Amino acid sequence: MASQFTLFRSRRFTPMFFTQFLGAFNDNFFKQALLLLLTYSAAAKLGSSVSLLNNLAAMLFILPFFLFSALAGQLADKYEKSRLTVYIKVLEIVIMILAAFGLIFEIYWLLFVALFLLGAQSTFFGPIKYAYLPQAMHKDELVGANALFQTGTSLSILLGMIVAGVFTQLDNHLYWVSAMALLIAGLGLLSSKFVPHTPAVEPDMKINWNIFSTSMDTIKYLYSLPLLFFIILGNSWFWFYGATFLTQTPEFSKVILNGNESVVIFLLTLFSVGVSAGSLICKTLTKNQVSFKLLPFGIAGLSIFAIDLYFSLSALNINSSALLGISELSQMSGSWRVFADLFFLGFSGGLYIVPLYAAMQAYSPITHRARVIGANNIFNAIFMVTSAIFAIVILNLLKLSLPQLFLVTGVLNIVFGVFLYFKLKRYKDTMQIQQDALIM
C-alpha cells in the first residue's frame, strides 16, 4: 500500500496543501501576536481590561464564520476553485498590509478590523479547500489526503502560535510581525498559483447574497440529509472538545503545574503532535476506505484520557516558589502521566476527526458539497462559542476546578459519542439499503 506522503509528488495535492498550511499559519500567527500585544501593552494604553480586549478579538475572528459560511459555500460550488483560491490569497495580502499599518502605527481599531477581515478570508477559503479534495483526489486517496490536511492544520496552528511568541519578544517586534505576516501571505499566493484548474460543479446556480436567509436555507438543506447532519454534528463536537481543553491549557499550566510559558507551548505541542499522529495512522487502519470503524476508538480515547487527566492533575502536588520550566517539571512525580494524557487526547482526536471529514466529503452531493462544508463551518463556530460558555458556567458559576471541568467534558463525550455513533450507523445503513434498491 502506497504511503499517503506520495501525494506530495502530485500537483493535484501539494499546492493546495501548502496554500492551506500557510493560510492557517498566518491566521494563528497574527491572531496570537495581537493577543500578546493586547495583553502586555495595548490594554494599559487603551485603559481596558485584558479579558475584554482578548474576548473581543476572539469574537471578531469567529464572527465571519457565522455570517458568511453559507455564502462562501455557494461561491465555491458556482465558480472554478483554483481561481477563487488565488483571489482569496490576494485578499490576504491586502489584509496583511492593513494589519502592518495598524501594528506599526499602533492603530488598534484597524487591527481589530484586520482580524475580522482575516476571519472572513478564512471563512471563504474553508469550503474551497475541503470541497477541492474529493474533486481532485481519487477515491482511495481521500482518507490519506484528509489525514495530511488535518496534520498540516494542527502543526500550522501550533507553529503560528510559537513563532508569534518568539517574534513578539524581538526588538522592533511590530516591524518583525508585520514583515512575517506579509511574507507568509506572499508565499500563500505563490503556492495558490500552482493549484490545478478545478471545474465548477454548479456554474448556473444563482447566488443568494442575503447572508441570513442563505444561512437558514443551507442549514435546512443539511437537516434534510440526516447522515450528513450527524457527521457535521460530530465534526463540531470535536471543535467544542478541543476548544474546551486548549483554552484552559495556559491556566492549568501555571496554576496546577506551576509551569512557565515554555510549559504552555510544550503542552500544546504534545496535543498537536498527538492529533497529527492519530490523523496519519487513519489511512493505514482504514485501508483507504471511508469508514466509521475508527470512530468508537476515537470516542473512547477522548473520554478515557480526559478522565485520567482529572485524576493525574488531582494527584499532583507541586510546591515551588518559582515557575518551573519543562526540564524541572518533567522531574516532578506524576508529570509524565499528565504529558501522556495530553498526547493521547490528541491522538484519539485524530482517530475521531479524520474519518468524519472524509465521510462528509464522500457523502455530500457533488453539486452541494461546498455548501455542506459551509454549513459545517457554521456549526463549528456555534460549538466553539458554546464551549466558551460551557467553561464559564462550569468554572465561574458552578465553581468547579479545572480538573473537574475535564472530568465533566470526558463524561459528556461518552454520552454524545454513543449517541453519535448509533445515529451514523443507522443512517449509513439506511442509505446503503436505498442504494442497493436502486441497483436492483
Side-chain angles (χ1 to χ4, degrees):
M1 184 187 300
S3 166
Q4 61 237 52
F5 292 104
T6 58
L7 288 172
F8 283 112
R9 300 174 187 167
S10 171
R11 188 183 167 194
R12 293 179 294 113
F13 178 79
T14 302
M16 183 60 86
F17 174 87
F18 282 106
T19 300
Q20 71 89 27
F21 182 93
L22 292 166
F25 177 96
N26 224 14
D27 287 350
N28 288 277
F29 172 76
F30 175 72
K31 185 169 64 172
Q32 185 71 6
L34 179 57
L35 290 176
L36 291 171
L37 176 65
L38 293 174
T39 299
Y40 290 102
S41 61
K45 292 179 182 178
L46 295 174
S48 299
S49 72
V50 172
S51 176
L52 174 63
L53 292 176
N54 283 352
N55 284 318
L56 176 61
M59 182 195 71
L60 285 172
F61 186 78
I62 202 170
L63 183 61
F65 290 91
F66 284 110
L67 298 177
F68 305 127
S69 286
L71 177 60
Q74 288 185 84
L75 293 172
D77 278 333
K78 180 176 176 63
Y79 296 107
E80 192 273 321
K81 293 180 181 61
S82 66
R83 185 173 58 175
L84 278 178
T85 302
V86 171
Y87 291 161
I88 286 171
K89 291 291 119 179
V90 170
L91 177 62
E92 183 179 340
I93 290 178
V94 173
I95 294 168
M96 288 298 104
I97 291 172
L98 284 176
F101 193 81
L103 282 168
I104 292 169
F105 293 98
E106 298 186 55
I107 307 172
Y108 296 109
W109 66 264
L110 186 58
L111 290 174
F112 283 119
V113 170
L115 188 63
F116 175 83
L117 292 175
L118 197 62
Q121 179 258 350
S122 296
T123 302
F124 282 96
F125 184 49
I128 296 171
K129 65 182 179 181
Y130 283 115
Y132 170 86
L133 282 181
Q135 200 170 346
M137 301 294 109
H138 303 310
K139 188 175 181 181
D140 62 354
E141 296 173 329
L142 192 56
V143 173
N146 273 281
L148 290 172
F149 258 53
Q150 189 60 48
T151 300
T153 300
S154 298
L155 294 179
S156 62
I157 290 171
L158 176 66
L159 285 172
M161 294 172 67
I162 292 173
V163 175
V166 171
F167 272 54
T168 52
Q169 299 303 308
L170 299 174
D171 293 334
N172 299 315
H173 59 277
L174 297 179
Y175 291 91
W176 282 110
V177 170
S178 301
M180 184 63 159
L182 282 166
L183 173 64
I184 298 299
L187 290 174
L189 174 61
L190 178 64
S191 178
S192 72
K193 296 280 189 179
F194 294 94
V195 174
H197 181 88
T198 313
V201 294
E202 199 175 355
D204 297 328
M205 177 180 55
K206 184 178 180 181
I207 299 290
N208 180 359
W209 295 97
N210 185 321
I211 58 175
F212 300 106
S213 65
T214 196
S215 296
M216 290 306 300
D217 290 343
T218 300
I219 292 171
K220 287 177 184 176
Y221 174 76
L222 177 65
Y223 194 69
S224 72
L225 304 170
L227 177 61
L228 279 169
F229 177 76
F230 285 105
I231 287 172
I232 284 176
L233 280 187
N235 281 344
S236 299
W237 175 256
F238 176 77
W239 289 100
F240 173 97
Y241 196 92
T244 301
F245 279 81
L246 294 182
T247 303
Q248 316 311 321
T249 300
E251 186 175 352
F252 89 72
S253 298
K254 182 179 180 181
V255 175
I256 300 176
L257 302 181
N258 203 40
N260 60 23
E261 293 88 345
S262 67
V263 172
V264 178
I265 297 300
F266 176 66
L267 297 182
L268 292 172
T269 301
L270 282 175
F271 185 86
S272 298
V273 171
V275 172
S276 300
S279 299
L280 290 174
I281 204 172
C282 284
K283 175 181 181 290
T284 301
L285 295 178
T286 61
K287 298 179 180 177
N288 279 332
Q289 300 300 308
V290 176
S291 166
F292 295 128
K293 69 179 183 180
L294 291 181
L295 204 57
F297 297 98
I299 292 166
L302 287 171
S303 287
I304 289 169
F305 295 108
I307 293 170
D308 192 67
L309 184 61
Y310 161 75
F311 288 109
S312 61
L313 289 174
S314 299
L316 282 176
N317 185 20
I318 298 176
N319 293 312
S320 174
S321 58
L323 293 177
L324 304 175
I326 299 168
S327 59
E328 296 94 343
L329 182 61
S330 65
Q331 296 171 23
M332 297 291 176
S333 176
S335 61
W336 281 93
R337 183 177 170 187
V338 175
F339 299 160
D341 284 334
L342 282 170
F343 174 82
F344 284 110
L345 268 174
F347 185 85
S348 303
L351 294 180
Y352 174 91
I353 194 62
V354 168
L356 288 175
Y357 266 114
M360 178 178 68
Q361 295 161 3
Y363 296 130
S364 295
I366 293 173
T367 57
H368 287 68
R369 187 177 281 142
R371 276 167 283 179
V372 167
I373 295 168
N376 175 68
N377 290 342
I378 294 172
F379 278 95
N380 288 173
I382 292 170
F383 272 62
M384 282 190 282
V385 171
T386 305
S387 164
I389 297 170
F390 169 73
I392 290 170
V393 169
I394 294 291
L395 297 173
N396 298 100
L397 297 182
L398 299 181
K399 304 295 184 182
L400 298 184
S401 65
L402 283 171
Q404 287 171 328
L405 170 65
F406 300 149
L407 174 65
V408 171
T409 307
V411 172
L412 282 177
N413 183 70
I414 296 173
V415 177
F416 180 84
V418 171
F419 164 79
L420 176 70
Y421 181 73
F422 283 105
K423 284 290 186 182
L424 291 176
K425 188 174 185 304
R426 172 190 167 188
Y427 287 115
K428 187 173 184 296
D429 290 345
T430 301
M431 189 177 73
Q432 187 62 54
I433 292 169
Q434 292 171 343
Q435 289 175 343
D436 292 342
L438 287 173
I439 294 172
M440 294 173 62

